[in-house]
Amino acid sequence: MSPAAGFARTLRAEWTKFRTVRGWVLGTVVAALLVPLLAAVSAAGSHASCDRNGVETACPEPPLGPDGRAVHDKFFFVHRTLDGDGSITVRLTSMSGIITYPPPDHDEIVPGLVPWAKAGVIVKASMEPGSSYAAVMATGEHGVRMQHDYTGDVAGRPGGAPRWLRLTRAGETLTGYESADGRQWAEVAAVRLPDLPAEVEIGMFAASPGDLTVKQADLGGLIEQMRFTETTAVFDQVKVEGAAPGAWRHTDVSPTPGTNPGEVHHPGSAVESGGTFTVVGSGDIAPVGTDGGMAVELTLTGILFALVVVVVVAVLFVTAEYRRGLVRVTLAASPRRGRVLAAKALVIGGVVFAAGLAASAVAMPVGKHLLRGNGNHVLPVPALTEVRVIAGVAALLAVSAVLALALGTLFRRSAAAVVTALALILLPHVLATASVLPVELSLWLLRITPAAAFAVQQSIPEYPQVVDFYVPQGGYYPLPPWAGLGVLCCYAALALALAVVRLNRRDA
């Protein structure tokens, strides 16, 4: 018999064992059902609303950018209409600002710029929040940048105002330039905006995201505080080519409603005097992080409980044979002992992956529907990201099952193998996301333990140009999704190799 035929026979034998033991099949079904059931229960109990002048209403949702993701699009804009190609050149003479009630005393408004305060020139498809744009700007601490469509960010030279800035449009291509003296220009970047209409808005802007600090709560955990900030930018030497003649228009894009009808909270402003423009603005032009809504992976919290059941089933799949003395019969039927373990790994991994895939594919849309029905904002992500989260969670469960199977082979005792598997996979994740450990230790746990695989469910990426608290408690992981899953795969492969060594011993 060829090796391939021999392995196929062993694989069929292991599949027959699995499907004929009612407890293993039932356990797998229970694990799969836990994911959508807990998603429905959790979503049904989560409600959100906002108070508007004493009336409870649905909370406003952030606008969607060109790629369908939620974005911040709040700034003050001094603009004119540009039809076709053209450019704007300015000298940004100064940037200043205020930060409200910063630490340590939180008792006064102080002058200063937050690192991502920004002011510069921008071309925007329309005044609709979330519309396509490109901008070249100076920032509080990150030098000159060229940003576009909320996620694109290219660094220019370090330093801030005073600085000359230029933005040109040629069809769908926007090119940003910077200069120290207005004579020697350096290109920052050129970007293509495929959905840019012929008629756009061009002008100067100012924005300032909130000032974020994090402190330890009295009863444990971490508390985020975001304080209002504001940027004042002064422009002169303004030259626009290709724009329609007429006065500059002033627009507070996405103003924050005040407590009274028609009132705006901290409105922006602009003053023009003798060719000099003073623009005051707050807010940001950037993608929304997990602070702006609920990530889709929150519909899959049931995988933590499903993981426990899967580990138990996977361990019993091998330890039951040791307990009943059947392992020698199995090994006698297939003398190549590594082949037996490989067949078992394929069976348990395949079954769990299929069950996890079906469970996650049901849980996510059900959970999103219930959450939105209860007034919660679920952050939209591209369809491929949702597919990756669903398939990634299924793979996490499947590889965890293989690791548990290998540990069961090594220990040959169910309790020891189950406890070890959960201590390796589940415990580090719980500790890292429950705010009971220092942040750095939490991040290291999610880099070097099998719990790194939970990164595969992260749907909202970390953006360097966005102010947020990038920690596991907020849904952010230190490794990229597939790299995190790769850590778990390495542990499973090592455990399988050690299990094969153990099986090949005579006392197996």
Side-chain angles (χ1 to χ4, degrees):
M1 182 182 297
S2 67
F7 181 73
R9 187 179 69 177
T10 304
L11 188 63
R12 284 194 300 271
E14 293 302 326
W15 164 241
T16 300
K17 286 181 192 175
F18 184 88
R19 66 183 177 84
T20 53
V21 177
R22 186 177 303 173
W24 299 343
V25 175
L26 182 60
T28 306
V29 172
V30 168
L33 290 176
L34 280 173
V35 180
L37 287 176
L38 291 176
V41 171
S42 176
S46 178
H47 296 264
S49 62
C50 291
D51 180 81
R52 185 73 65 210
N53 302 319
V55 178
E56 188 174 301
T57 62
C59 295
E61 295 189 359
L64 302 182
D67 65 351
R69 289 184 182 270
V71 298
H72 296 293
D73 196 10
K74 175 177 170 53
F75 60 100
F76 199 85
F77 194 13
V78 179
H79 57 104
R80 290 163 63 181
T81 300
L82 173 68
D83 190 357
D85 297 343
S87 67
I88 181 171
T89 302
V90 303
R91 182 174 66 174
L92 175 62
T93 63
S94 68
M95 284 180 69
S96 59
I98 59 169
I99 302 172
T100 57
Y101 311 114
D105 298 323
H106 305 281
D107 61 350
E108 60 182 343
I109 298 175
V110 301
L113 291 171
V114 291
W116 281 107
K118 54 190 69 170
V121 290
I122 184 171
V123 168
K124 191 165 172 59
S126 72
M127 301 309 298
E128 186 71 21
S131 62
S132 183
Y133 80 95
V136 60
M137 67 198 72
T139 62
E141 295 181 7
H142 296 284
V144 173
R145 317 292 290 201
M146 176 80 172
Q147 296 184 349
H148 72 284
D149 283 356
Y150 307 94
T151 58
D153 177 49
V154 179
R157 293 173 178 172
R163 189 68 60 100
W164 289 75
L165 303 170
R166 176 179 291 165
L167 185 61
T168 66
R169 178 198 181 175
E172 297 177 343
T173 301
L174 281 297
T175 307
Y177 303 87
E178 60 168 310
S179 172
D181 56 13
R183 293 187 297 272
Q184 300 293 324
W185 291 88
E187 180 179 315
V188 180
V191 300
R192 181 174 174 269
L193 304 183
D195 298 324
L196 201 65
E199 188 173 275
V200 296
E201 297 301 312
I202 188 170
M204 299 155 282
F205 78 98
S208 184
D211 181 41
L212 176 69
T213 57
V214 180
K215 68 176 185 178
Q216 194 76 29
D218 294 336
L219 299 178
L222 300 171
I223 299 176
E224 298 180 46
Q225 293 182 323
M226 186 74 79
R227 287 172 299 280
F228 174 81
T229 70
E230 191 174 72
T231 295
T232 299
V234 180
F235 302 91
D236 66 8
Q237 303 292 326
V238 179
K239 181 181 179 181
V240 180
E241 295 182 354
W248 291 92
R249 300 190 300 278
H250 300 177
T251 302
D252 204 349
V253 180
S254 302
T256 303
T259 55
N260 299 316
E263 186 180 57
V264 174
H265 180 69
H266 290 294
S269 64
V271 176
E272 179 182 357
S273 176
T276 297
F277 296 80
T278 302
V279 184
V280 180
S282 62
D284 202 4
I285 313 172
V288 169
T290 56
D291 61 323
M294 304 185 75
V296 294
E297 61 266 27
L298 293 179
T299 62
L300 301 178
T301 54
I303 66 167
L304 299 178
F305 300 93
L307 179 63
V308 176
V309 179
V310 162
V311 165
V312 171
V313 171
V315 168
L316 290 176
F317 187 37
V318 64
T319 58
E321 294 195 46
Y322 282 102
R323 187 173 64 251
R324 297 170 183 171
L326 300 176
V327 68
R328 296 188 183 278
V329 176
T330 298
L331 296 178
S334 180
R336 298 186 64 174
R337 300 180 175 191
R339 177 186 294 174
V340 174
L341 188 58
K344 283 184 176 293
L346 280 175
V347 169
I348 194 65
V351 169
V352 171
F353 180 80
L357 192 66
S360 300
V362 172
M364 185 176 288
V366 168
K368 289 197 302 180
H369 176 75
L370 291 174
L371 286 170
R372 287 172 175 153
N374 289 338
N376 299 281
H377 174 58
V378 180
L379 295 172
V381 295
L384 286 178
T385 299
E386 287 197 359
V387 171
R388 187 259 296 161
V389 172
I390 290 171
V393 164
L396 186 159
L397 291 173
V399 180
S400 296
V402 173
L403 174 58
L405 174 81
L407 292 173
T409 306
L410 286 169
F411 289 107
R412 303 181 184 180
R413 295 181 181 275
S414 301
V418 168
V419 170
T420 303
L422 295 179
L424 286 172
I425 306 168
L426 190 57
L427 182 60
H429 177 265
V430 172
L431 293 175
T433 57
S435 302
V436 297
L437 297 175
V439 172
E440 283 303 317
L441 180 55
S442 297
L443 293 174
W444 273 108
L445 281 177
L446 295 178
R447 288 188 184 103
I448 63 174
T449 70
F454 283 94
V456 79
Q457 64 181 336
Q458 180 181 326
S459 64
I460 305 299
E462 180 178 338
Y463 296 101
Q465 74 273 28
V466 176
V467 178
D468 204 348
F469 190 38
Y470 294 111
V471 294
Q473 299 94 311
Y476 296 101
Y477 292 83
L479 295 179
W482 296 118
L485 183 64
V487 174
L488 175 61
C489 291
C490 289
Y491 274 87
L494 176 61
L496 280 173
L498 294 175
V500 170
V501 172
R502 180 84 192 267
L503 273 178
N504 286 329
R505 290 173 53 185
R506 295 195 173 202
D507 61 347

